[in-house]
Amino acid sequence: MRTLAHTNVYTDAGGQLIERSFRLTVVSGPDAGLSRVIEAGTTMVGTHADNDVVLTDSTVSRYHLELQLRRDGLAVKDLDSTNGTRLEGTRVGAITVTAATRLRLGKHTEVALETADAPAPLGEFAGDRFGGVIGTSPPMKKLFALLARVAPTDATVLLEGETGTGKEAIAEALHQASGRALGPFVVVDCASIPRELIASELFGHAKGSYTGAIADKRGLIESAHGGTLFLDEIGELPIDLQPQLLRALEKREVRRVGETRPIPVDIRVLAATHRDLRAMVKSGGFREDLFYRLAVVRCDVPPLRARPGDLPTLARFFAESFGRSPWELSPALLADLVRHDWPGNVRELRNVVERALSLGTLGVDDDLAGGRAAPAPAAAAPASHEAILELPFKEAKAALVEGFERDYLVHLLARHKGNISRAALEAGIDRNYIHRLVKKYGLDVERG
């Protein structure tokens, strides 16, 4: 079975990376003065010599206490000890400690638990890529240093950045660089699952739990057992389903729809969003407790316009991935790529490069000439159906949908000689939506 590094890493309010640990100190009893830093995995406390912290108090059980460092603090569990574990005089079975706490073990021993967090320096990142993600610009080197630091841990990571910046590729790279690399990498696209199916898709369902449930089904969370669960576009998850997800993440267990039996899951959680979740929390669109559960480590994925120095390298990389020589991309085209604003980010760049190679426009692409804005990603869609089928699922789906949108819009507007009002009336859609599509695809039409 895999071996995991359980050291918890998180970012505090100031954005500094912190490595979490606790210190146990015996403050009274026959072992007063004994101290130990609790860092990774599970720490056992008791009188038996096999324990990590061995006490000599005869009123303490052989295996008295279990301590486990977690993202949300130090989990303390009494192991059915004879004389119990007490907090302020009350016997406790299991608690999670997040600040300085004193516990009495047995009749004579008191221990203090205190946080011993320390800054975790990132250092310099030496390479030009993290997994399949490429970059040598300062923003990317900073991001790679952070990713490399947290990848071996089980810390939950929230990737924040614009659409098309490569958040899914980063999530997969984190998975591959972790101790879970041999386990599954399960992607949940919260934006694409129909609302009425989200609970069944996430948690699974029991046979007969609703009409059409003809067999038991494992949910996506359960399918990620032993690996990584990637919650893409988490900001699109309906507010009424967020408590169920929060419970699953806190307890690391799921209940299939129609069942009461919990199923334990061993998963690492990664999430991504193009939305401002903090603003959504303030407006009531996203639960604050779920936000903090996901934002253990927050990674800002920079847009392409913030890393122009990476554009030639990325363009040549994409050319090679299409089976072409990177030197087919002319210096003039590369210079125009650097000047473009790239609203579609890396996904748009990939499509522009593919179209340039497919259509033979290897000089200055007409769509970029003179510094004018290039069409959004869909206008640079792959040249053939076969090429689309070679893309990752999300990109292929987006290319097909966007290709349909553009073709439908072109034919619709042609029938109405570019009159947007008449086109909107025929199509049964709002004219403002057509205006947005016209702008998106760079079409020159009458604004009716």
Side-chain angles (χ1 to χ4, degrees):
M1 191 64 180
R2 60 185 174 82
T3 300
L4 291 177
H6 289 278
T7 303
N8 185 38
V9 181
Y10 68 98
T11 51
D12 65 9
Q16 183 183 23
L17 197 66
I18 301 294
E19 185 171 340
R20 161 151 287 184
S21 63
F22 275 77
R23 177 175 293 277
L24 178 151
T25 303
V26 180
V27 294
S28 66
D31 304 294
L34 177 66
S35 184
R36 178 186 176 95
V37 174
I38 310 299
E39 292 179 322
T42 299
T43 299
M44 303 293 293
V45 180
T47 57
H48 194 281
D50 288 343
N51 287 286
D52 301 291
V53 178
V54 180
L55 302 176
T56 60
D57 182 351
S58 61
T59 66
V60 171
S61 293
R62 287 159 56 84
Y63 298 98
H64 194 104
L65 203 63
E66 177 184 281
L67 307 175
Q68 189 173 62
L69 191 65
R70 302 193 318 194
R71 292 170 297 279
D72 53 344
L74 185 68
V76 179
K77 181 180 180 182
D78 183 88
L79 301 176
D80 295 325
S81 62
T82 302
N83 294 308
T85 300
R86 286 176 169 76
L87 172 63
E88 296 181 352
T90 301
R91 186 161 180 164
V92 296
I95 59 172
T96 298
V97 174
T98 58
T101 303
R102 289 198 175 194
L103 300 174
R104 179 166 291 278
L105 312 186
K107 297 180 179 180
H108 308 301
T109 296
E110 187 176 19
V111 299
L113 299 173
E114 299 176 296
T115 58
D117 298 342
L122 298 181
E124 294 291 328
F125 188 84
D128 63 354
R129 67 187 63 196
F130 181 78
V133 184
I134 297 173
T136 57
S137 60
M140 293 304 289
K141 298 281 273 190
K142 181 179 178 181
L143 174 63
F144 289 168
L146 175 58
L147 295 173
R149 183 68 176 82
V150 302
T153 77
D154 255 358
T156 302
V157 177
L158 177 63
L159 303 169
E160 300 174 294
E162 296 176 8
T163 299
T165 49
K167 297 186 291 294
E168 182 173 342
I170 291 173
E172 188 164 7
L174 279 169
H175 169 71
Q176 293 298 333
S178 74
R180 297 176 176 269
L182 298 180
F185 176 71
V186 177
V187 179
V188 179
D189 186 351
C190 299
S192 67
I193 304 174
R195 180 186 177 90
E196 64 274 13
L197 296 179
I198 290 180
S200 175
E201 289 294 310
L202 281 176
F203 307 111
H205 62 246
K207 178 180 178 181
S209 57
Y210 60 87
T211 302
I214 59 176
D216 289 346
K217 176 185 175 181
R218 295 176 70 195
L220 293 170
I221 297 177
E222 188 180 346
S223 297
H225 180 72
T228 301
L229 178 73
F230 176 47
L231 299 168
D232 198 10
E233 294 300 350
I234 187 63
E236 310 305 316
L237 187 69
I239 188 73
D240 55 321
L241 287 173
Q242 292 177 22
Q244 292 176 259
L245 176 61
L246 177 63
R247 284 194 296 271
L249 299 186
E250 286 184 336
K251 294 181 177 297
R252 287 300 197 263
E253 64 183 31
V254 295
R255 285 183 174 85
R256 294 177 180 174
V257 176
E259 287 188 351
T260 58
R261 177 179 61 90
I263 301 171
V265 289
D266 171 22
I267 55 173
R268 183 191 190 171
V269 179
L270 309 176
T273 182
H274 73 281
R275 292 182 175 271
D276 183 346
L277 292 189
R278 283 189 179 275
M280 291 182 68
V281 168
K282 291 180 180 179
S283 67
F286 202 83
R287 288 181 62 102
E288 184 176 28
D289 46 8
L290 179 57
F291 170 73
Y292 286 112
R293 170 62 60 180
L294 295 171
V296 176
V297 176
R298 298 176 65 191
C299 295
D300 181 23
V301 183
L304 196 52
R305 62 184 172 276
R307 40 186 293 224
D310 289 333
L311 275 156
T313 302
L314 286 168
R316 293 188 178 108
F317 170 79
F318 289 138
E320 289 184 316
S321 73
F322 301 139
R324 304 289 288 270
S325 169
W327 307 113
E328 293 184 59
L329 301 175
S330 71
L333 174 59
L334 293 176
D336 274 339
L337 295 181
V338 171
R339 286 194 293 268
H340 180 48
D341 192 48
W342 299 109
N345 289 297
V346 178
R347 185 179 298 133
E348 181 185 2
L349 173 63
R350 174 192 171 109
N351 290 338
V352 166
V353 171
E354 183 169 13
R355 186 178 61 175
L357 293 170
S358 299
L359 301 181
T361 55
L362 302 178
V364 179
D365 191 303
D366 290 339
D367 292 317
L368 299 175
R372 291 187 288 107
S384 68
H385 182 71
E386 289 74 17
I388 290 176
L389 296 179
E390 295 298 321
L391 296 174
F393 174 77
K394 283 183 64 179
E395 293 185 22
K397 179 182 176 182
L400 286 169
V401 170
E402 292 170 346
F404 163 76
E405 277 184 345
R406 189 177 193 279
D407 290 345
Y408 181 87
L409 188 62
V410 167
H411 287 82
L412 177 68
L413 293 172
R415 289 198 299 274
H416 294 281
K417 296 182 172 54
N419 188 295
I420 288 179
S421 294
R422 290 198 296 268
L425 184 63
E426 179 193 315
I429 56 180
D430 189 272
R431 63 194 300 274
N432 289 328
Y433 182 62
I434 292 187
H435 276 297
R436 289 197 297 271
L437 291 179
V438 165
K439 181 178 180 181
K440 176 180 180 180
Y441 297 117
L443 302 179
D444 185 17
V445 298
E446 173 192 347
R447 298 301 176 100

